Amino acid sequence: AWLERLRSAERFCFDLETTSLNYMDAEIVGVGLALEPGEAAYIPLAHDYLDAPAQLDRRSVLEALKPLLEDPGKTKIGQNLKYDISVLANVDIHVTGPFADTMLASYVLNSTATRHDMDSLALKYLGEKTISFEEIAGKGAKQLTFNQIALEQAAPYACEDVDITLRLQQTLRPQVEQEGRLAEVLDHLELPLIKVLSRIERNGVALDAERLHQQSQQLEQRIRELESEAFELAGREFNLGSPKQLGQILFEEQKIPVIKKTPKGAPSTAEAVLEELALDYPLPKVIMQHRGLAKLKSTYTDKLPRLLNKKTGRVHTSYHQAVTATGRLSSSDPNLQNIPIRTAEGRKIRQAFVARPGYRIVAADYSQIELRIMAHLSEDKGLLEAFEQGRDIHTATAAEVFGTALDKVTADQRRSAKAINFGLIYGMSAWGLSRQLHLERQQAQTYIDRYFDRYPGVARYMDRIRSQAADNGFVETVMGRRLYLPEIHSQNRNRRQGAERTAINAPMQGTAADIIKQAMIDVDAWLAEGGFDALMVMQVHDELVFEVAEAQVDAFIEEVSARMQSAATLSVPLIVEAQSGANWDEAH
């Protein structure tokens, strides 16, 4: 009866219940379906606890649902559809859009108002408290997987899932359509990206586990050396991981001045504090190095090999579309966005991301995209001209700020100009710049004043965006994505200034995120045409990473760069730099 109703429906809501949150390993246990609010069905397929009732055959049920899920004439409604799409792809069901995803609708409507999981959305938008998974499955090590949950509990839980999702869709969609260009952002960027990200995740990327194992051992040795160095500087042994012991040595025994206190009144040893102290004192510097390497070891060199999938022999990350405030993607297991690129240790980790035999890694990166977006948004003549003429923007800024000819700019002056260019985008103060460049605050202020003299359009843009943010409570990207700033009228000065800095930066970061999302959608469609033996394997910040057949690398680089450059039209050219290598580090 349900199949009959689904066949005549233009849209339906569905949700898989599975054995795992990992889309590569999850087995389907049952399917929830809903067509109208207040009425839902759960089809149990693989509950296998003691005395579980007989259930329909999983294969024949999925075969019956396959044509409906693959029908381009029906809208599929879900919450975090990417997960369900990936799990179904593993059993040869290729879910076809149009899609409606309540997680993404909520995210586009207001990225910062709430978390975007179903329980949070039900509470915020429908005023309903839902059955949490922990209520039916328990917590911690003893938590049951869905196949072990009795149908008496599983069915109401699964039916509530699809019913709430369907009702959320009916509540959120009209709200999205009422606000500016948000419906465009949802329909043209976020929803088409679901399939693209699912494909990239399932492609996975090859890893050289042996190289990582060697690096773990090298890091272990260096961590031990730093520990000995710290003991020597402290004059005794102590636990480097204990804030209390560290605080005692730094502030009581070594009499280093206290910069900041914890809410309980103890001297703080947080990262930002140590970073500042490291400029003047040797022990905090060694502690910072020790922390950095220990984190690399535990997060990457030790953990990555354990994440290799047994079936594919590759690592499959998860991309999250509804986490960051600005529209950027984040990733987990592994987090690809946080592998440092500026340190030798970070680059060694990138060397472990390799291509399979007969293939090369190609990395294609947008060059200085946020500065180009700043030029577009601020319409500053000097910036527009520098980019139009293809000048190196940091050298051009150095020439302006230091009042010297382009060909006379020194490496140090260019480095300072780079700090100014990027710092001002992020709303950096003279104090922040003075710390970064190790200058007197007055000198840093002079540099900033000179910058705004030379690029008055940037100063005007910053003033304009601050007042827009204060009037509207939000700022927008070039493509119409909104970022709300609840703290913009805060009585607390620090919070208000933080919101103002975000207001200046978010249109740039958000526009860069929108552009690379558009590029991923375009490039995915182009790869589907089959002209190249190539896979998109990673997305990190402003970069797309591919695995490409050796013989096709040069032609691929040329075409992929052109496609990425045409993902958006700004008043300055978008430039993509693409290179190839045997591994990810070499492709830079």
Side-chain angles (χ1 to χ4, degrees):
W2 268 85
L3 284 171
E4 272 312 308
R5 291 177 63 188
L6 288 169
R7 283 185 197 117
S8 56
E10 283 177 17
R11 53 173 186 80
F12 63 90
C13 180
F14 82 99
D15 178 52
L16 301 180
E17 299 300 348
T18 63
T19 54
S20 166
L21 290 174
N22 180 333
Y23 59 89
M24 291 300 289
D25 301 333
E27 296 285 337
I28 298 168
V29 178
V31 185
L33 295 168
L35 288 164
E36 299 296 335
E39 181 192 12
Y42 177 58
I43 310 165
L45 302 173
H47 290 264
D48 53 11
Y49 53 89
L50 197 65
D51 297 334
Q55 292 148 74
L56 294 176
D57 174 61
R58 178 160 59 188
R59 217 166 111 200
S60 52
V61 168
L62 292 175
E63 264 171 28
L65 291 174
K66 181 179 162 91
L68 298 162
L69 290 163
E70 293 181 348
D71 182 348
K74 295 182 190 304
T75 301
K76 324 306 182 288
I77 303 165
Q79 160 79 16
N80 187 13
L81 270 173
K82 174 162 69 69
Y83 171 81
D84 303 88
I85 287 169
S86 292
V87 172
L88 287 164
N90 294 336
V91 291
D92 196 36
I93 294 175
H94 302 283
V95 186
T96 307
F99 300 135
D101 191 318
T102 48
M103 176 181 82
L104 296 180
S106 163
Y107 177 66
V108 167
L109 184 62
N110 189 335
S111 63
T112 56
T114 173
R115 291 180 57 209
H116 306 284
D117 58 283
M118 196 195 74
D119 295 349
S120 303
L121 299 186
L123 201 55
K124 179 173 171 64
Y125 292 105
L126 304 174
E128 294 208 12
K129 188 185 170 327
T130 47
I131 309 164
S132 75
F133 184 66
E134 286 182 348
E135 282 171 55
I136 62 167
K139 286 182 185 171
K142 292 195 172 156
Q143 189 174 61
L144 301 173
T145 48
F146 210 84
N147 51 312
Q148 300 166 311
I149 293 170
L151 284 182
E152 291 74 20
Q153 290 172 297
Y157 170 85
C159 287
E160 181 184 70
D161 269 4
V162 279
D163 180 57
I164 291 279
T165 301
L166 188 64
R167 286 162 56 202
L168 279 171
Q169 169 62 13
Q170 294 182 350
T171 304
L172 289 170
R173 181 70 206 192
Q175 292 186 35
V176 170
E177 286 175 1
Q178 276 160 19
E179 300 292 337
R181 291 152 60 205
L182 294 186
E184 281 175 51
V185 175
L186 182 60
D187 295 341
H188 298 298
L189 280 179
E190 298 298 348
L191 292 170
L193 197 64
I194 295 173
K195 287 277 281 201
V196 179
L197 289 175
S198 168
R199 206 177 338 268
I200 297 174
E201 290 177 350
R202 285 179 290 113
N203 286 342
V205 64
L207 265 194
D208 182 341
E210 183 47 45
R211 179 174 269 186
L212 286 166
H213 178 61
Q214 287 167 5
Q215 198 186 343
S216 266
Q217 292 175 318
Q218 289 162 4
L219 285 174
E220 179 70 40
Q221 192 182 335
R222 182 73 190 115
I223 288 165
R224 279 208 206 101
E225 287 167 12
L226 286 167
E227 199 167 41
S228 307
E229 237 175 284
F231 295 161
E232 207 170 301
L233 288 166
R236 64 182 177 91
E237 291 197 4
F238 67 102
N239 175 0
L240 270 70
S242 159
K244 194 176 172 193
Q245 290 183 31
L246 181 59
Q248 194 180 345
I249 288 171
L250 292 179
F251 306 115
E252 291 173 30
E253 296 171 22
Q254 300 204 340
K255 303 282 187 277
I256 290 175
V258 175
I259 300 182
K260 196 178 172 193
K261 292 192 170 180
T262 66
K264 288 188 176 169
S268 169
T269 57
E271 190 132 335
V273 171
L274 288 182
E275 208 171 298
E276 198 167 324
L277 294 175
L279 297 172
D280 302 311
Y281 300 96
L283 182 55
K285 189 176 178 181
V286 170
I287 300 283
M288 285 293 291
Q289 289 175 320
H290 181 276
R291 277 188 186 178
L293 295 186
K295 192 173 176 190
L296 274 189
K297 184 175 182 295
S298 63
T299 313
Y300 294 110
T301 59
D302 289 355
K303 193 180 173 190
L304 280 171
R306 296 204 294 271
L307 293 174
L308 281 169
N309 184 279
K310 289 185 178 63
K311 289 188 287 233
T312 64
R314 290 162 80 93
V315 166
H316 302 269
T317 188
S318 289
Y319 289 99
H320 308 293
Q321 272 173 278
V323 172
T324 71
T326 55
R328 276 183 178 265
L329 295 170
S330 64
S331 66
S332 61
D333 298 321
N335 176 351
L336 300 171
Q337 320 286 335
N338 275 8
I339 303 173
I341 191 166
R342 289 187 182 85
T343 64
E345 290 81 13
R347 285 197 296 275
K348 276 186 182 165
I349 291 169
R350 288 166 176 257
Q351 286 163 16
F353 287 79
V354 295
R356 53 202 157 128
Y359 291 77
R360 303 275 285 170
I361 293 288
V362 169
D365 202 334
Y366 281 108
S367 166
Q368 299 169 336
I369 188 166
E370 289 184 17
L371 290 173
R372 290 170 191 276
I373 294 164
M374 168 60 97
H376 173 85
L377 291 171
S378 68
E379 298 171 339
D380 180 89
K381 284 197 181 71
L383 274 186
L384 290 172
E385 204 172 280
F387 280 124
E388 276 301 337
Q389 295 174 2
R391 292 206 294 265
D392 174 77
I393 194 68
H394 303 314
T395 306
T397 297
E400 295 286 355
V401 170
F402 299 111
T404 179
L406 276 173
D407 55 354
K408 297 279 191 294
V409 170
T410 66
D412 268 355
Q413 287 174 327
R414 185 183 183 278
R415 191 178 58 82
S416 298
K418 188 174 180 179
I420 297 167
N421 273 332
F422 284 116
L424 293 182
I425 289 187
Y426 291 98
M428 190 189 276
S429 62
W431 182 76
L433 188 64
S434 68
R435 269 181 58 203
Q436 195 169 337
L437 295 177
H438 312 309
L439 300 168
E440 291 296 308
R441 191 180 169 284
Q442 198 48 52
Q443 185 64 56
Q445 188 60 55
T446 306
Y447 286 170
I448 289 177
D449 293 343
R450 259 192 237 159
Y451 178 94
F452 286 133
D453 279 348
R454 299 297 189 274
Y455 299 126
V458 176
R460 283 196 298 273
Y461 164 75
M462 289 181 172
D463 291 340
R464 187 172 75 239
I465 205 84
R466 275 192 204 101
S467 64
Q468 264 180 18
D471 292 346
N472 302 332
F474 63 83
V475 289
E476 283 188 331
T477 67
V478 171
M479 295 186 187
R481 181 188 302 278
R482 279 188 189 177
L483 179 80
Y484 285 88
L485 302 154
E487 304 269 325
I488 197 80
H489 296 297
S490 173
Q491 298 302 307
N492 178 317
R493 184 163 159 259
N494 285 348
R495 286 185 173 176
R496 190 173 63 253
Q497 287 179 336
E500 286 177 356
R501 282 197 296 275
T502 304
I504 290 166
N505 175 241
M508 281 170 277
Q509 229 190 47
T511 300
D514 290 346
I515 289 173
I516 200 154
K517 284 178 172 177
Q518 186 61 57
M520 292 167 82
I521 293 163
D522 295 348
V523 168
D524 179 75
W526 164 66
L527 287 176
E529 292 166 14
F532 282 91
D533 180 1
L535 297 173
M536 205 173 344
V537 294
M538 288 189 284
Q539 186 279 337
V540 182
H541 302 306
D542 304 321
E543 171 183 15
L544 297 182
V545 184
F546 304 88
E547 189 179 61
V548 184
E550 273 173 3
Q552 297 182 332
V553 165
D554 293 342
F556 179 85
I557 283 177
E558 200 174 313
E559 290 221 25
V560 83
S561 302
R563 277 185 164 70
M564 287 173 69
Q565 283 167 188
S566 61
T569 308
L570 301 180
S571 47
V572 293
L574 277 178
I575 300 293
V576 169
E577 293 170 349
Q579 288 171 291
S580 71
N583 61 53
W584 187 17
D585 182 51
E586 253 183 46
H588 271 274

